[in-house]
C-alpha cells in the first residue's frame, strides 16, 4: 500500500537547535506576578504566580514559585482550592519537568519529501499557519467545512473546538468518551438523567461505605478522590474493593473480593438480588424517587449469590455480608461509578447495574453518596452565532450507538476512510493534546484513516508518536507559560481559578488560544476572535462574574456561595433529570432501542492455556503516556513492569527483573521487552501493566524503548452497541523469552 | 524541643509525592533522593497484605552518623535535627556506612547529603515539604515535647513502630500501624 | 512470598541495590596499615628485648618500608575522599567517638615515628649516607641513644594501629558483618602476620627467619581460631548477622573466601612454614607471598561484603 503519510522517525534531525538560542532569551524575562510574602518561606525576590495544573483533567489550582533568575523552582497547591486543598499530587508537583523537558517541541514542523524520503523541516509560524488555513479552505471547498474534525484532550481543546465551530464543523471528539468514561456516563444518564461528571461528584469524604468495582483510587491519582478516600479511612468508612488484583485501595479495604476477571456484572446482580430479597434496600427512597422496582425485583429473582459464586468465585456468604455492609451504611454509601469503564463491550449495562445499586441504596442526593454539583457559568466572550453545520458526527453513525451523547473517536476515524457511496467524508484532522497512536485501539483503522487525510495537524508540547504522522506539527507551550480559560469546575462549591504564565514561552512555542486565533483570522473568522490578547477575554469574563484579573492574580482562586442545595433535603420532593423525573431502575429507553432494559450477565471470552488476561491501569506518578519523558517523574518510575503471579512465574521459569516480550492472542508481539515483576498481588490468570510506556518515537529521548506499550497488544476490541465504547480488556498475552524477529513495524 | 515525624501506613498510597516535593523544594539532583517509598508485600494470593512506607533519615537521637563523623560536619541542630555542614564534610563516607537506614548519599558536589527535615521551613513555622504536600495527609511533623501538637496526639491514640529499633539508634520517625 | 521494592524508583549510585561507597582504596589502606603495624610492632618488641642485632632485618631494615606503606595508605585514603578540598578539616578537631577520627590522628603519630625510627638506622644500613646538616646529626645521635624510649610507644601504637584497622569497621553497627568485636583483634593478628611475612621475605638470616617463622605459625593459628570464633558468633547472632555470614557460607563470597583467604592465605602457608621448620626446603617466597595476598584479599572481601549486609526491616 502506498503510504502517503509515512511515520517519520525523526531521530536526531537536530531540529530546534537554532530555536533554542533565539527563544531562550525570552523566557528569562519574567511575566507579571506578585513578590512572595514573607510568610511563604521563600526568600525575597521570588515570585508566586497562580495557575492550575494541566497534567491531568482534575486541574488543581496552585502557585508556581519562580526564582529571581526566572527558573520555576516548584509548584504548590492553592490552599483554598477544594479540588486539592493546597496539596498537589506527584504529577502536579512534578509539573516543572514538563516545562524543563529538553525534548519539547520547539518550532513548527512541516512534512516535506527530501530525496524521496519523507521528513520534517522547521518552519516559521507564518508559513505553518498559512499552510493550514489554505488546506482547510481547500477541504471546505471540496467537501464542506464539516469535513474538518478535532480530536482533543485538556485545555487546548476549547480553542480548537471554537475554531471548528466557527468554521462550520461539530465533529469534535475526545478519546475520553469512547475509550474511557463513556459507558459510565451513558449508564448513569439512562438511570439518573445525568452522570457523575469530571471531577466526580462522589461524596467520599463523608461516606460510610465505599465500593470500588475495579477502580484503583490511590494508583489512579485523581487528587480529590485520593484525598477524600484518606479522610474516609480516618473516619472508619468500610471500603469494599472488587478487583482481580490487590490494588492499593484493595489493600486498605475491609473486604477485598478477588473476583475472576470479566464477571463483575454477575456480582452486581447478586448484590441487587440480596438487597431486594433480604429487604435491605432503601425502601422509602425507592418508593419516593424510583420507578421500575417491581420489574427489577422480578429480573434479579434468580441471580442468587450461589449463582454468582459459580461465575465469580466469590463465596456466597461474602456476597451477602458485603451487601449487608452497604445496606447498613445506606444512604451514605457509594458504589463508585469508576472512570475507565471500557472493558468488555457490555459496559453500559455494567454501569447501569452500578447505577441501580446506588439507586436502591438511596445514595444519589444524600450525604456520603452522590452530591449535587454547582458551578459558575462563565459567559462566552461576545461572538457571532456559530453557523449550523450541514451534518455532524451523528450522521456517520448509521443507526449504531443510539445513546452516544458525545462524539465517538472511532466513528470519526471510520468516516475519514473513503468508501464508495459514502455521504459524509472527513478529510482533515486537528489533534490537540492527545497521543492518538497510543490511546486509540483498532490501530489498522487509525493508520488507514491517517493515510487518507488531506490535512493532519498536531498541536502538542512533546514529540509524541502522533506527531510522526502529521503534515504540520505545532509546538504548544506548557500550561506554565500561558494564560488560559478560567477553570470553572462545578463541584461542592462553585469556584473559578486563574491560569497565568509564570514565565515566557520557551523556544518558539505558543499558547493554543493564539494558534486558534491565528488560523481563524486567516480563515476570515476574525469576528469570532474580537480581541487582541487573551487577557482581554479574561478581563471581560471576570468582570461578568464580579471579579477582576488583578484580584485573581492575587488570590488565584475565588469561591462563590452555593445557590442550590447540595443534597436532597430529607424526604423532600425531587425531580431527577430523566423524562419521568424518577430514577429509571428499568430503562424503557434501552428497551425501546432493542437493548436489555435491565442488565443481564453474559460470559466473556477467557484466555486459553498459556495465555493470561492483559489488565492495565495507572500509577500515581504518571498520567497516560504524556509523563513518560518528564525527568522529575521518571525518577520515580522510569518504566513499567509486567506483574506475574509467582505460580505462573515458576511455570515459565521467569526470574525477577528478567526481560520478556509479550505476544497476544492474535500474534501481535510487543515492540520492546518489559521487566518481570513477580508478585502475589496479581491473580494467576492475568498479568498487569501500567499504561503509558513503551514509547517508540525516538525524539522522546528518555522514554524511547522503556517498558512495554499495552495499547499495541490490544488488537481485539469489544464495541459497546449502546454508545460505541471500545472494550479493551478482552486481550490475552503470553510470554516470549527470547527476542522475536523484527517484523516491519509502523 | 525534639522534632519527630509520624507516618500513617494505613493511609499512605505510595504516590511518592513526598519524593518529588522534596526534590523541587531542596534541589535534590535527579538520580538521587532524600526520601523514598518502600512497598512490602506479604502473603499468598488472595491472602496478601501490603505495607507502604515513606522513608527518610530518621534524625536519630542516638545517631551513629554524628558519632562517627571525623570532622564534626554531621551534627545536631534545633530539636535534634541532624544536619551536615557542607564545608566541614570531607566526603569520607563513614556516616553513609554507619546508617542502618541507608538514608545518606554522596552528593555529586562531594559532600554527603540527606533529609534535613526541611529545617529552613521548620524555622519559619511550616512543615517539611513532604508533610505539606502529602495528598492523603498521612504525615505528621512536630515537637514530641509539645503535648498540644498533633504529632503527640496521634502517637497517643495509635499503635506505631519505628524501623530496626534493635540498631539502637533511637529513630524519631514512627509508623502508625 | 515476601516481596520488597522501592515504589519511588530509588536507584542512587553506589547505594542501590547494595551499598558500595568504599571501593578498593579502603581495603588497600587497611592492608598497608596492618602491615606497617606488624613490622613496627616486631621492631619495637625485639628492640625492647635487646635483640636488635639478632633480628636485624626485623628491627633495622623492614621498618624502612613502613613510612612508604603508611604514606601510600594515607594517600589512598585521600583519593577515597569525595570532598577532597576540605580534607584538612580532619585535623582541626579531635572527636573521641569517631574511629575515622582516631585513624587520622593515630596515623599522624605513627608516620613520624616510623620515619624517625627508619632514619635512625639509615647510616647503619647505607654507610655512604651523609646527613649533611649538624642538627640532623645531633638528632640522629640522640635517637640512637634512646631507642628503647622510642621502641615502647612505637610498639604500643603499632598495636593500636593494628587493632584500629579492625575497630574502624566494627564500630559501624549498621553493617552486621562488621559489627563484631573480634574484628579488631583479628585484623591486628592478620596485620602482624603480614608484617612477619614481609620480614621473612627480605631477611637472609636463617636464625631470624626461624624465629619469625615460628611467630608467624602461632599468629596464623590464632587467626584461624579468631575466624572460627567470628563465624560462630555470627551464626549465634541476630537474623541480620546470620544473613550476613551466609554470604560466606554458601553465598557469593564462599568460594573466594575459603579458596584464597583460608586455604591459600592461611592453611597452606601454615603447612609450608611448619614443614620448613621441620627441615624441608621450601622457598620462603611461597608462603610469604601467599600470606600477603591472603591478607589483602581478606580485607577486600570483608569491606565489600560488609557493605552488602544490612539490617532487615
Amino acid at each position: 500500500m502506498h503510504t502517503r503519510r509515512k511515520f517519520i522517525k525523526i531521530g536526531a534531525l537536530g531540529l530546534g537547535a537554532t530555536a533554542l538560542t533565539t527563544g531562550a532569551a525570552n523566557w528569562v524575562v519574567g511575566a507579571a506576578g506578585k513578590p512572595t510574602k514573607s510568610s511563604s518561606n521563600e526568600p525575597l525576590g521570588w515570585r508566586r504566580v497562580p495557575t492550575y495544573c494541566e497534567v491531568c483533567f482534575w486541574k488543581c489550582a496552585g502557585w508556581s514559585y519562580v526564582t529571581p533568575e526566572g527558573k520555576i523552582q516548584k509548584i504548590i497547591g492553592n490552599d483554598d482550592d477544594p479540588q486539592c486543598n493546597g496539596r498537589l499530587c506527584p504529577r502536579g508537583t512534578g509539573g516543572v519537568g514538563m516545562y524543563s523537558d529538553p525534548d519539547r517541541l520547539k518550532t513548527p514542523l512541516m512534512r516535506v519529501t527530501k530525496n524521496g524520503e519523507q521528513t520534517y523541516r522547521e518552519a516559521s509560524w507564518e508559513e505553518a499557519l498559512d499552510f493550514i488555513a489554505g488546506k482547510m479552505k481547500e477541504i471546505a471547498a471540496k467537501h464542506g467545512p464539516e469535513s474538518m474534525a478535532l480530536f482533543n484532550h485538556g485545555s487546548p481543546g476549547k480553542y480548537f473546538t471554537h475554531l471548528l465551530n466557527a468554521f462550520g464543523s461539530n465533529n469534535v471528539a475526545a478519546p475520553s468518551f469512547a475509550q474511557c468514561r463513556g459507558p459510565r456516563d451513558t449508564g448513569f444518564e439512562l438511570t439518573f438523567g445525568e452522570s457523575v461528571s469530571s471531577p466526580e461528584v462522589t461524596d467520599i469524604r463523608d461516606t460510610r461505605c465505599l465500593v470500588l468495582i475495579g477502580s484503583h483510587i490511590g494508583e489512579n491519582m485523581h487528587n480529590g478522590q485520593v484525598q477524600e478516600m484518606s479522610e474516609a479511612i480516618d473516619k472508619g468508612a468500610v471500603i469494599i474493593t472488587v478487583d482481580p488484583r490487590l490494588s492499593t485501595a484493595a489493600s486498605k479495604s475491609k473486604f477485598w473480593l478477588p473476583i475472576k476477571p470479566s464477571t463483575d456484572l454477575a456480582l452486581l446482580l447478586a448484590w441487587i438480588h440480596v438487597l431486594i430479597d433480604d429487604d435491605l434496600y432503601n425502601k422509602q427512597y425507592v418508593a419516593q424517587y424510583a420507578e421500575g422496582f417491581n420489574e427489577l425485583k422480578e429480573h434479579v429473582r434468580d441471580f442468587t449469590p450461589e449463582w454468582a459464586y459459580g461465575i465469580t468465585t466469590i463465596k456466597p456468604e461474602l456476597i451477602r455480608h458485603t451487601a449487608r455492609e452497604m445496606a447498613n451504611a445506606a444512604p451514605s454509601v457509594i458504589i463508585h461509578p469508576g472512570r475507565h469503564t471500557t472493558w468488555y463491550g457490555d459496559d453500559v449495562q455494567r454501569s447501569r447495574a452500578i447505577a441501580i445499586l446506588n439507586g436502591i441504596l438511596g445514595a444519589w442526593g444524600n450525604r456520603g453518596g452522590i452530591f449535587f454539583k454547582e458551578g459558575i457559568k462563565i459567559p462566552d466572550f461576545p461572538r457571532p452565532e456559530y453557523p449550523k453545520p450541514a451534518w455532524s458526527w451523528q450522521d456517520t453513525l448509521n443507526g449504531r450507538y443510539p445513546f452516544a451523547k458525545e462524539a465517538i473517536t472511532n466513528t470519526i476515524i471510520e468516516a475519514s476512510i473513503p468508501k464508495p457511496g459514502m455521504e459524509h467524508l472527513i478529510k482533515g484532522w486537528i489533534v490537540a493534546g492527545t497521543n492518538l497512536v497510543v490511546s486509540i485501539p483498532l490501530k489498522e483503522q487509525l493508520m488507514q484513516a491517517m493515510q487518507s487525510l488531506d490535512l493532519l495537524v498536531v498541536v502538542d508540547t512533546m514529540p509524541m508518536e502522533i506527531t510522526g504522522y502529521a503534515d504540520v506539527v505545532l509546538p504548544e507551550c506548557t500550561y506554565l507559560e500561558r494564560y488560559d480559560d478560567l477553570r470553572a469546575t462545578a463541584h461542592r462549591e462553585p469556584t473559578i481559578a486563574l491560569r497565568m504564565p509564570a514565565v515566557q514561552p520557551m523556544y518558539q512555542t505558543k499558547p493554543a488560544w493564539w494558534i486558534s486565533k491565528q488560523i481563524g483570522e486567516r480563515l476570515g473568522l476574525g469576528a469570532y476572535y474580537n480581541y487582541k490578547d487573551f487577557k482581554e477575554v479574561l478581563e471581560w469574563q471576570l468582570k461578568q462574574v464580579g471579579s477582576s484579573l488583578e484580584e485573581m492574580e492575587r488570590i488565584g482562586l475565588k469561591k462563590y456561595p452555593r445557590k442550590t442545595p447540595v443534597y436532597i433535603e430529607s424526604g423532600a420532593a425531587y425531580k431527577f433529570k430523566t423524562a419521568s423525573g424518577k430514577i429509571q431502575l428499568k430503562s424503557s429507553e434501552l428497551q425501546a432501542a432493542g437493548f436489555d432494559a435491565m442488565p443481564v450477565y453474559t460470559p466473556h471470552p477467557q484466555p486459553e492455556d498459556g495465555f493470561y488476561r492483559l489488565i492495565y491501569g495507572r500509577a500515581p506518578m504518571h498520567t497516560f503516556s504524556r509523563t513518560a519523558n518528564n525527568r522529575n517523574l521518571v525518577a520515580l518510575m522510569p518504566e513499567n513492569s509486567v506483574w506475574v503471579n509467582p505460580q505462573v512465574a515458576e511455570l515459565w521459569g521467569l526470574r525477577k527483573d528478567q526481560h520478556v516480550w509479550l505476544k497476544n492472542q492474535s500474534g501481535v508481539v510487543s515492540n520492546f521487552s518489559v521487566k518481570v515483576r513477580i508478585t502475589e498481588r496479581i491473580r494467576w490468570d492475568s498479568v498487569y501493566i501500567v499504561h503509558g510506556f513503551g514509547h517508540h518515537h525516538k525524539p522522546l529521548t528518555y522514554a524511547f524503548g522503556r517498558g512495554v506499550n499495552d495499547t499495541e497488544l490490544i488488537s481485539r476490541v469489544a464495541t459497546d452497541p449502546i454508545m460505541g465504547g471500545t472494550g479493551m480488556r478482552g486481550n490475552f498475552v503470553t510470554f516470549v523469552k527470547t527476542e522475536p524477529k523484527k517484523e516491519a513495524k509502523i | 524541643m525534639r522534632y519527630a515525624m509520624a507516618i500513617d501506613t494505613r493511609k499512605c498510597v505510595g504516590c511518592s509525592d513526598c519524593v518529588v516535593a522534596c526534590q523541587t523544594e531542596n534541589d535534590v539532583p535527579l538520580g538521587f533522593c532524600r526520601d523514598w517509598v518502600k512497598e512490602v508485600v506479604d502473603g499468598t494470593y488472595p491472602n496478601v497484605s501490603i505495607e507502604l512506607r515513606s522513608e527518610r533519615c530518621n534524625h536519630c537521637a542516638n545517631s551513629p552518623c554524628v558519632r562517627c563523623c571525623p570532622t564534626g560536619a554531621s551534627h545536631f541542630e534545633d530539636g535534634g535535627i541532624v544536619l551536615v555542614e557542607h564545608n566541614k564534610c570531607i566526603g569520607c563516607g563513614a556516616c553513609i556506612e554507619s546508617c542502618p537506614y541507608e538514608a545518606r548519599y554522596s552528593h555529586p558536589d562531594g559532600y554527603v547529603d540527606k533529609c534535613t527535615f526541611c529545617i529552613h521551613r521548620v524555622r519559619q513555622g511550616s512543615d517539611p515539604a513532604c508533610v505539606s504536600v502529602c495528598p492523603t495527609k498521612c504525615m505528621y511533623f512536630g515537637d514530641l515535647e509539645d503535648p498540644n501538637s498533633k504529632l503527640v496526639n496521634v502517637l497517643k491514640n495509635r499503635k506505631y513502630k519505628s524501623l530496626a529499633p534493635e540498631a539502637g539508634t533511637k529513630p524519631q520517625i514512627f509508623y502508625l500501624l | 512470598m515476601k516481596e520488597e521494592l522501592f515504589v519511588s524508583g530509588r536507584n542512587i549510585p553506589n547505594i542501590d541495590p547494595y551499598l558500595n561507597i568504599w571501593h578498593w582504596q579502603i581495603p588497600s589502606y587497611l592492608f598497608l596499615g596492618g602491615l606497617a603495624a606488624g613490622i613496627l610492632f616486631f621492631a619495637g618488641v625485639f628492640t625492647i628485648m635487646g635483640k636488635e642485632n639478632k633480628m636485624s632485618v626485623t628491627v633495622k631494615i623492614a621498618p624502612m618500608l613502613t613510612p612508604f606503606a603508611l604514606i601510600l595508605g594515607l594517600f589512598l585514603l585521600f583519593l577515597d575522599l569525595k570532598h577532597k578540598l576540605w580534607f584538612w578539616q580532619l585535623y582541626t578537631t579531635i572527636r573521641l567517638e569517631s574511629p575515622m577520627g582516631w585513624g587520622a590522628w593515630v596515623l599522624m603519630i605513627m608516620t613520624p615515628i616510623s620515619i624517625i625510627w627508619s632514619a635512625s638506622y639509615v647510616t647503619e644500613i647505607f654507610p655512604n649516607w651523609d646527613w649533611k646538616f649538624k642538627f640532623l646529626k645531633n638528632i640522629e645521635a640522640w635517637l640512637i641513644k634512646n631507642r628503647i624510649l622510642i621502641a615502647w610507644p612505637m610498639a604500643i601504637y603499632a598495636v593500636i594501629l593494628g587493632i584500629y584497622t579492625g575497630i574502624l569497621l566494627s564500630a559501624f553497627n549498621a553493617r552486621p558483618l562488621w559489627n563484631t568485636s573480634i574484628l579488631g583483634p583479628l585484623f591486628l593478628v592478620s596485620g602482624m602476620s603480614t608484617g612477619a611475612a614481609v620480614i621473612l621475605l627480605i631477611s637472609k638470616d636463617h636464625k631470624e627467619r626461624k624465629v619469625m617463622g615460628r611467630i608467624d605459625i602461632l599468629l596464623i593459628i590464632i587467626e584461624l581460631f579468631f575466624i572460627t570464633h567470628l563465624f560462630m558468633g555470627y551464626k549465634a547472632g541476630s537474623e541480620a548477622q546470620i544473613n550476613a555470614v551466609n554470604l560466606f557460607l554458601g553465598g557469593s563470597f564462599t568460594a573466594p573466601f575459603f579458596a584464597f583467604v583460608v586455604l591459600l592465605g592461611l592453611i597452606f602457608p601454615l603447612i609450608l612454614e611448619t614443614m620448613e621448620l621441620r627441615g624441608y626446603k621450601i622457598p620462603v617466597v611461597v608462603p610469604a607471598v601467599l600470606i600477603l595476598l591472603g591478607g589483602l584479599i581478606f580485607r577486600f572481601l570483608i569491606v565489600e561484603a560488609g557493605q552488602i549486609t544490612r539490617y532487615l526491616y
Side-chain angles (χ1 to χ4, degrees), chain A residues 587-621:
Chain A
S587 174
S588 36
E589 284 181 79
L590 281 177
Q591 191 169 46
F595 301 109
D596 291 322
M598 285 165 291
V600 166
Y601 169 74
T602 44
H604 296 296
Q606 297 298 316
E608 55 180 70
D609 239 356
F611 280 79
Y612 306 89
R613 185 180 298 271
L614 177 64
I615 305 180
Y616 53 87
R618 309 275 178 251
M621 56 283 285

Coordinates of all heavy atoms in Angstrom, one line a residue, chain A residues 587-621:
Chain A
S587 N -34.9 0.5 32.3 CA -34.8 1.5 31.3 C -35.7 1.2 30.1 O -35.3 0.4 29.3 CB -33.3 1.7 30.8 OG -33.3 2.6 29.8
S588 N -36.8 1.9 30.0 CA -37.6 1.7 28.9 C -37.0 2.3 27.6 O -37.2 1.8 26.5 CB -39.0 2.4 29.1 OG -38.8 3.6 29.8
E589 N -36.1 3.3 27.8 CA -35.4 3.8 26.6 C -34.6 2.7 26.0 O -34.6 2.5 24.7 CB -34.5 4.9 27.0 CG -35.1 6.3 27.4 CD -34.1 7.3 27.8 OE1 -33.4 7.8 26.8 OE2 -33.9 7.5 29.0
L590 N -33.8 2.0 26.8 CA -33.0 0.9 26.3 C -33.8 -0.1 25.6 O -33.5 -0.6 24.5 CB -32.1 0.3 27.4 CG -30.9 1.0 27.8 CD1 -30.2 0.3 29.0 CD2 -29.9 1.2 26.6
Q591 N -35.0 -0.4 26.3 CA -35.8 -1.5 25.7 C -36.4 -1.1 24.4 O -36.4 -1.9 23.4 CB -37.0 -1.7 26.7 CG -37.8 -2.9 26.4 CD -38.8 -3.3 27.5 OE1 -39.4 -2.4 28.0 NE2 -38.8 -4.5 27.9
A592 N -36.8 0.2 24.3 CA -37.3 0.7 23.0 C -36.3 0.6 21.9 O -36.6 0.4 20.7 CB -37.8 2.1 23.2
A593 N -35.0 0.7 22.2 CA -34.0 0.7 21.2 C -33.5 -0.8 21.0 O -32.6 -1.0 20.2 CB -32.8 1.5 21.6
G594 N -34.1 -1.7 21.6 CA -33.8 -3.1 21.4 C -32.7 -3.7 22.3 O -32.2 -4.8 22.0
F595 N -32.3 -2.9 23.4 CA -31.3 -3.5 24.3 C -32.0 -4.0 25.5 O -33.2 -3.7 25.8 CB -30.3 -2.4 24.7 CG -29.6 -1.8 23.5 CD1 -29.9 -0.5 23.0 CD2 -28.6 -2.6 22.8 CE1 -29.2 0.0 21.9 CE2 -28.0 -2.1 21.7 CZ -28.3 -0.8 21.3
D596 N -31.3 -4.7 26.4 CA -31.8 -5.2 27.7 C -32.3 -4.0 28.5 O -31.4 -3.1 28.8 CB -30.8 -6.0 28.4 CG -30.5 -7.3 27.7 OD1 -31.5 -7.9 27.2 OD2 -29.4 -7.8 27.7
A597 N -33.5 -4.0 29.0 CA -33.9 -2.9 29.9 C -33.2 -2.9 31.2 O -33.1 -1.9 31.9 CB -35.4 -3.1 30.1
M598 N -32.9 -4.2 31.6 CA -32.1 -4.3 32.9 C -30.9 -5.2 32.6 O -31.0 -6.1 31.7 CB -33.0 -4.9 34.0 CG -34.0 -3.9 34.5 SD -35.3 -4.6 35.5 CE -36.2 -5.5 34.3
P599 N -29.8 -5.0 33.3 CA -28.5 -5.7 32.9 C -28.7 -7.2 33.0 O -29.3 -7.7 34.0 CB -27.5 -5.1 33.9 CG -28.1 -3.9 34.4 CD -29.5 -4.0 34.4
V600 N -28.0 -7.9 32.1 CA -28.0 -9.3 32.1 C -26.6 -9.8 32.0 O -25.8 -9.2 31.2 CB -28.8 -9.9 30.9 CG1 -28.5 -11.4 30.7 CG2 -30.3 -9.7 31.2
Y601 N -26.2 -10.8 32.8 CA -24.8 -11.2 32.7 C -24.6 -12.1 31.5 O -25.3 -13.0 31.2 CB -24.4 -12.0 34.0 CG -23.1 -12.7 33.8 CD1 -21.9 -12.0 33.9 CD2 -23.0 -14.1 33.6 CE1 -20.7 -12.6 33.7 CE2 -21.7 -14.7 33.4 CZ -20.6 -13.9 33.5 OH -19.4 -14.5 33.3
T602 N -23.5 -11.7 30.7 CA -23.1 -12.6 29.6 C -21.6 -12.9 29.8 O -20.8 -12.1 30.2 CB -23.2 -11.9 28.2 OG1 -22.7 -10.6 28.4 CG2 -24.7 -11.8 27.8
P603 N -21.3 -14.2 29.7 CA -19.9 -14.6 29.8 C -19.0 -14.0 28.7 O -19.5 -13.9 27.6 CB -19.9 -16.1 29.8 CG -21.3 -16.5 29.5 CD -22.2 -15.3 29.3
H604 N -17.8 -13.7 29.0 CA -16.9 -13.1 28.1 C -15.8 -14.1 27.8 O -15.5 -15.0 28.6 CB -16.4 -11.8 28.6 CG -17.4 -10.8 28.7 ND1 -18.2 -10.3 27.7 CD2 -17.9 -10.2 29.8 CE1 -19.0 -9.4 28.1 NE2 -18.9 -9.3 29.4
P605 N -15.1 -13.9 26.6 CA -14.0 -14.9 26.3 C -13.0 -15.0 27.4 O -12.6 -14.0 28.0 CB -13.5 -14.3 25.0 CG -14.5 -13.4 24.4 CD -15.3 -12.9 25.6
Q606 N -12.5 -16.2 27.6 CA -11.5 -16.4 28.6 C -10.2 -16.8 27.9 O -10.2 -17.3 26.8 CB -11.9 -17.6 29.5 CG -13.2 -17.3 30.3 CD -12.9 -16.1 31.3 OE1 -11.9 -15.9 31.9 NE2 -13.9 -15.2 31.3
P607 N -9.0 -16.5 28.5 CA -7.8 -16.9 27.9 C -7.6 -18.4 27.8 O -8.0 -19.1 28.6 CB -6.7 -16.3 28.9 CG -7.4 -16.1 30.2 CD -8.8 -15.9 29.9
E608 N -6.9 -18.8 26.7 CA -6.7 -20.2 26.5 C -5.4 -20.6 27.3 O -4.7 -19.7 27.9 CB -6.5 -20.6 25.1 CG -5.5 -19.8 24.4 CD -5.4 -20.1 22.9 OE1 -6.3 -19.8 22.1 OE2 -4.3 -20.7 22.6
D609 N -5.0 -21.8 27.3 CA -3.9 -22.3 28.1 C -2.6 -21.5 27.7 O -2.3 -21.4 26.5 CB -3.6 -23.8 27.8 CG -3.7 -24.6 29.0 OD1 -3.8 -24.0 30.1 OD2 -3.6 -25.8 28.9
G610 N -1.8 -21.1 28.7 CA -0.6 -20.4 28.4 C -0.8 -18.9 28.1 O 0.2 -18.2 27.9
F611 N -2.0 -18.5 28.1 CA -2.3 -17.0 27.9 C -2.8 -16.4 29.2 O -3.5 -17.1 29.9 CB -3.2 -16.8 26.7 CG -2.5 -16.9 25.4 CD1 -2.2 -18.1 24.8 CD2 -2.2 -15.8 24.7 CE1 -1.6 -18.2 23.6 CE2 -1.5 -15.8 23.5 CZ -1.2 -17.1 22.9
Y612 N -2.6 -15.2 29.3 CA -3.1 -14.5 30.6 C -3.8 -13.2 30.2 O -3.3 -12.5 29.2 CB -1.9 -14.2 31.5 CG -1.1 -15.5 31.8 CD1 -0.1 -15.9 30.9 CD2 -1.5 -16.4 32.8 CE1 0.6 -17.1 31.1 CE2 -0.9 -17.6 33.0 CZ 0.2 -17.9 32.1 OH 0.8 -19.1 32.3
R613 N -4.9 -12.9 30.9 CA -5.6 -11.7 30.5 C -4.7 -10.5 30.8 O -4.1 -10.3 31.8 CB -6.9 -11.6 31.3 CG -7.8 -10.4 30.9 CD -9.0 -10.4 31.7 NE -9.8 -11.6 31.6 CZ -10.8 -11.7 30.7 NH1 -11.1 -10.7 29.8 NH2 -11.5 -12.8 30.6
L614 N -4.7 -9.6 29.8 CA -3.9 -8.3 29.9 C -4.8 -7.3 30.6 O -5.8 -6.8 30.1 CB -3.5 -7.8 28.6 CG -2.8 -6.5 28.5 CD1 -1.4 -6.6 29.3 CD2 -2.5 -6.0 27.1
I615 N -4.4 -7.0 31.9 CA -5.1 -6.0 32.7 C -4.2 -4.8 32.7 O -3.0 -5.0 33.0 CB -5.4 -6.4 34.1 CG1 -6.3 -7.7 34.0 CG2 -6.2 -5.4 34.8 CD1 -6.6 -8.2 35.4
Y616 N -4.7 -3.6 32.5 CA -3.8 -2.4 32.6 C -4.4 -1.4 33.5 O -5.6 -1.4 33.8 CB -3.6 -1.8 31.2 CG -4.9 -1.5 30.5 CD1 -5.6 -0.3 30.7 CD2 -5.6 -2.5 29.7 CE1 -6.8 -0.1 30.2 CE2 -6.8 -2.3 29.2 CZ -7.4 -1.1 29.4 OH -8.7 -0.8 28.9
G617 N -3.6 -0.5 34.0 CA -4.1 0.5 34.9 C -3.1 1.7 35.0 O -2.3 1.9 34.1
R618 N -3.2 2.4 36.1 CA -2.4 3.6 36.3 C -1.4 3.5 37.4 O -1.5 2.6 38.3 CB -3.3 4.8 36.6 CG -4.5 4.9 35.7 CD -4.1 5.7 34.5 NE -5.2 5.8 33.5 CZ -5.3 5.2 32.4 NH1 -4.3 4.4 32.0 NH2 -6.3 5.3 31.6
A619 N -0.4 4.4 37.4 CA 0.5 4.5 38.6 C 0.3 6.0 39.0 O 0.1 6.9 38.2 CB 1.9 4.3 38.1
P620 N 0.4 6.2 40.3 CA 0.1 7.6 40.8 C 1.1 8.6 40.4 O 0.9 9.8 40.5 CB 0.2 7.4 42.3 CG 0.9 6.2 42.6 CD 0.7 5.3 41.4
M621 N 2.3 8.2 39.9 CA 3.2 9.2 39.5 C 3.3 9.5 38.0 O 4.1 10.3 37.5 CB 4.7 8.9 40.0 CG 5.1 7.5 39.5 SD 4.4 6.1 40.4 CE 5.3 6.2 42.0

